[in-house]
Amino acid sequence: MPQRHSKNNNDLAFFTYDEKRKLGYGTQKERLGRDSIKPFDACCLCLKPFIDPLCCQKGHVFCKECILECLLSQKKDIQRKLAAHEAQQKHEKEEEEERLMQQKARELDAFDQQNHGAVPQYTDKNHSQDKNGFHGANSVKVTSYEEEALRTMKAFWLPSATPEAPRKVEAPSTSTVCPEGNEKLKLKTLFPICFVEDTSEKKKPNSLDKTYICPSCKVTLTNTVSLAALNSCGHVFCKKCAEKFIVVDKVCLVCDKPCKERNLVKLEKGGTGFAGHGDYLEATDFKHLGSGSGLGLVRPAMKT
């Protein structure tokens, strides 16, 4: 017979803390594996090995086709928002002109009534129309009391009485942004980068994945190696060789093209499985406990 303990007391009208933990309630944490980390030679948009890579000034690498399609879609979206904003401004201008005309007409009517107040005004009551255009369920003319009640009542279920919130379109930004870093990005600021492929005999001939090396120290490039590219010629080096040779000699080690320290761009890449890499590799997700969620069937019970 189990011991009498609070964890075994399951006849309460509410869930205890231990029961919630076993059902998966609260913040769930899970460490990311290698499959969840983007490799350095993958496009930031399609997440596939890049083809004709282009790099921005912040070090984000994209396929040429992917980034051109992204910038084109952003320009189309900006044009659509600009057209909507111009249409809204035109509509507001027309409403303002109509309001001024109505105000002027009211002032003229008030002036006319003030000067001709003693003259009786005859109106045809048979041709008076309802302003709201609502004539009841049987399409009969409503009285003034019913008209006032229909105008003031808050019957949100009636289409004629449903209020409409004004939608205001703000003026959009006319500059395209980087899809990865959200900074301003233009097509002319992108520069092509060139990796040196490993063609040594140590590489397996039947391997489909390309292996890249540093052209200076011949080290295989992975996510554990910090990379730097020259925006003047596009050659990629490891960060150690770039700081040791290129910064001092001010010339590219591959094409001997003159360069300066400001031409070095640090390439952004995914993290590694090691905690000392400095990347936050823990994913968190908050889950609510609800009937029919099935969390108790999916997540195994925690060991206590």
Side-chain angles (χ1 to χ4, degrees), residues 19 22 30 66 92 103 105 129 147 169 172 241 244 279:
E19 290 173 347
K22 290 182 178 180
E30 186 173 355
C66 295
E92 290 178 353
Q103 183 179 0
Q129 295 181 357
E147 180 182 352
V169 181
C241 295
K244 188 175 181 180
D279 292 333

Side-chain angles (χ1 to χ4, degrees), residues 248-301:
V248 177
D249 299 337
K250 300 185 183 304
V251 66
C252 178
L253 302 178
V254 178
C255 60
D256 295 334
K257 187 175 181 179
C259 61
K260 296 183 180 180
E261 186 177 358
R262 65 170 180 265
N263 297 123
L264 283 174
V265 177
K266 181 183 177 182
L267 297 184
E268 297 293 336
K269 54 186 177 58
T272 62
F274 299 98
H277 191 268
D279 292 333
Y280 189 71
L281 300 174
E282 190 176 43
T284 59
D285 187 19
F286 183 80
K287 294 185 179 296
H288 291 278
L289 183 64
S291 60
S293 60
L295 296 178
L297 302 177
V298 178
R299 293 186 59 84

